[in-house]
Amino acid sequence: MSRYARTLEDAGFDYTLVPYGSASADSFVVATAVAAATERMKPIVAVRPNTVFPTVAAQQLATLDQLSDGRAVVHITSGGSDAEQARQGDFLSKDERWWTRG
């Protein structure tokens, strides 16, 4: 991961998206590793508000931002497939997650 992040930075990239998935590594931990391995790379942390309490995500993002000297970026996403969401306890359909009914 460190070599990958440094390669991106050496190639001139400013940002890298750290994906989120129920079977993947924790995105905040990976983003912290990216920030630690680089000097200017800004990790973009994908956050699903329906799988993490908003105040916890805010605290994690603020901590990452402090540790990376202001380089943390957040991407709010409503999630992927219904099966992916259900693995973490969110049983709303994609339509219910994406659209507000009124």
Side-chain angles (χ1 to χ4, degrees):
M1 179 59 68
S2 297
R3 185 172 54 228
Y4 173 75
R6 286 191 299 270
T7 299
L8 287 176
E9 188 171 67
D10 291 345
F13 288 91
D14 297 317
Y15 298 89
T16 186
L17 177 63
V18 179
Y20 178 92
S22 63
S24 65
D26 181 270
S27 57
F28 278 99
V29 174
V30 173
T32 301
V34 167
T38 60
E39 294 180 17
R40 60 176 180 72
M41 178 69 64
K42 296 177 182 177
I44 306 168
V45 182
V47 175
R48 291 184 191 168
N50 50 347
T51 60
V52 63
F53 216 66
T55 53
V56 172
Q59 182 181 25
Q60 291 172 314
L61 186 64
T63 301
L64 174 60
D65 198 53
Q66 289 175 355
L67 293 175
S68 68
D69 295 323
R71 293 185 283 148
V73 179
V74 65
H75 170 68
I76 306 296
T77 179
S78 62
S81 72
D82 292 346
E84 166 72 9
Q85 291 298 115
R87 283 193 283 275
Q88 292 193 297
D90 181 357
F91 299 102
L92 295 175
S93 70
K94 189 170 186 174
D95 283 344
E96 290 171 310
R97 289 191 313 273
W98 280 66
W99 305 106
T100 302
R101 307 213 194 284

